[in-house]
Amino acid sequence: MQLSNFFEKCWSRYVKLTPDAPKIHKLLEDRGERVINDHVAFRTFNLPGISRLELGSVFEQIGYKKVPEDLDFPEKKLKANYYLHPDLTQPKVFISELLVEKFPKDLQSWIHSIVEGSRQLSKPPTLNTFLEPSWDPIRLEDYQTFYPMSEYAAWTAAFGIQLNHFTVSFNSLKTFQDLQALNSFLKTNGLVLNSAGGEIKGTPEELLEQSSTEARKIPWTFSGGASDSIMGCYYEFARRYLIPGTQNFFNGFIPKSANKIFESTYEKQKK
Ligand code: NI
């Protein structure tokens, strides 16, 4: 599968959970912008077969290089790694995983039963792992029970291993002076931004500024045909700065900023 083809397929799945994304895409294109993806992000659990490093190895096989640093999010009980493509116009790949053993036993058993009961995950991961349902639909009651313990666990259990967000590369845009101007444009057009920790996370000194929309509720079907509206995905915006004294843009991530970006799918946002 061509990489561009893979990301197109990811986009088709993603827009079903993110009605704002195609709208934003169109708003930007109508201004004459051409949108490039800074990075894509996936969520998973630290269980055998689907851990972040196992999923990451799928990207290593197609030319991505793993950046050695492990990113830690102790407050969220997450770890993450990211991967860069030698062709820097290809999106960076960011994969986080929930440290399942750090949660109450009943949540652990729930996640284990979902993952271990999956026939789809009996083979080593491939690009298709990100494009197909990972397991059978979960029970709505379970989603409601465990959501308060871990929004991340509930999101990943409901949607499976699939793309959590695309990210517009601010650097590829021509008509905005700064990220603030892009945010204002989006808000003027009726979009709602994640304001947890301020709309813009990070500073020019940290070499990365990020903002994101707030995820919206989308209808979702659970086991037995039960349905409910639950929080879907969000769209992110990233502005990267040159590493001082070089011609290279900073390609990493700032855990403190990403920590708040994770909250873009929270039903009740912490202000
Ligand atoms: Ni991101």
Side-chain angles (χ1 to χ4, degrees):
M1 196 184 318
Q2 290 275 324
L3 201 49
S4 57
N5 196 242
F6 170 70
F7 287 122
E8 273 168 34
K9 287 181 175 172
C10 286
W11 176 261
S12 305
R13 289 191 88 192
Y14 164 78
V15 295
K16 292 184 185 135
L17 307 183
T18 327
D20 284 340
K23 186 176 165 189
I24 292 169
H25 224 266
K26 181 161 190 319
L27 283 169
L28 292 173
E29 284 186 350
D30 288 350
R31 268 175 82 104
E33 297 285 10
R34 186 168 158 261
V35 175
I36 293 201
N37 283 308
D38 178 87
H39 66 271
V40 295
F42 297 96
R43 290 181 174 185
T44 191
F45 300 112
N46 67 337
L47 298 184
I50 57 164
S51 67
R52 71 189 198 284
L53 297 178
E54 286 168 281
L55 295 182
S57 71
V58 174
F59 291 94
E60 290 180 282
Q61 285 160 25
I62 55 169
Y64 275 84
K65 293 270 182 292
K66 179 171 167 284
V67 175
E69 69 173 322
D70 287 334
L71 304 179
D72 278 306
F73 303 90
E75 184 196 317
K76 303 252 180 327
K77 304 184 174 76
L78 299 172
K79 272 187 189 291
N81 280 90
Y82 60 100
Y83 299 80
L84 304 180
H85 198 278
D87 172 0
L88 290 172
T89 64
Q90 295 293 347
K92 296 170 252 303
V93 172
F94 181 97
I95 307 177
S96 61
E97 72 182 9
L98 193 73
L99 307 175
V100 176
E101 72 282 1
K102 299 215 184 276
F103 286 86
K105 282 274 183 292
D106 51 350
L107 187 143
Q108 292 186 34
S109 310
W110 180 53
I111 299 302
H112 276 276
S113 69
I114 293 168
V115 174
E116 285 151 24
S118 165
R119 272 170 286 113
Q120 290 91 323
L121 298 179
S122 57
K123 293 165 285 178
T126 65
L127 287 178
N128 280 322
T129 306
F130 303 94
L131 300 174
E132 294 165 353
S134 306
W135 37 73
D136 293 337
I138 60 165
R139 291 171 4 130
L140 175 58
E141 306 89 275
D142 291 335
Y143 180 89
Q144 290 165 337
T145 301
F146 294 110
Y147 186 95
M149 287 184 217
S150 169
E151 181 278 337
Y152 186 111
W155 188 97
T156 310
F159 298 124
I161 296 159
Q162 79 122 51
L163 195 141
N164 174 266
H165 62 271
F166 276 88
T167 309
V168 173
S169 164
F170 175 89
N171 301 63
S172 72
L173 303 178
K174 308 272 183 269
T175 61
F176 297 96
Q177 199 179 358
D178 49 30
L179 198 52
Q180 191 65 58
L182 173 61
N183 287 350
S184 300
F185 169 74
L186 296 171
K187 287 190 288 181
T188 303
N189 283 285
L191 279 308
V192 179
L193 300 182
N194 167 6
S195 56
E199 273 175 14
I200 296 181
K201 285 80 175 163
T203 62
E205 292 70 36
E206 290 171 304
L207 308 181
L208 175 61
E209 291 179 305
Q210 291 164 281
S211 61
S212 63
T213 63
E214 261 182 23
R216 287 214 262 150
K217 285 196 166 184
I218 46 114
W220 193 248
T221 305
F222 291 84
S223 72
S227 75
D228 198 6
S229 286
I230 61 170
M231 297 300 278
C233 301
Y234 57 93
Y235 209 3
E236 191 180 312
F237 313 93
R239 181 178 189 180
R240 295 183 179 276
Y241 290 85
L242 287 170
I243 299 168
T246 77
Q247 293 303 309
N248 303 320
F249 283 97
F250 173 67
N251 273 325
F253 291 87
I254 311 282
K256 179 165 61 75
S257 301
N259 190 51
K260 288 294 179 194
I261 293 274
F262 276 119
E263 297 180 15
S264 304
T265 50
Y266 280 22
E267 200 167 325
K268 291 194 186 68
Q269 300 225 354
K270 289 181 209 154
K271 301 293 174 194

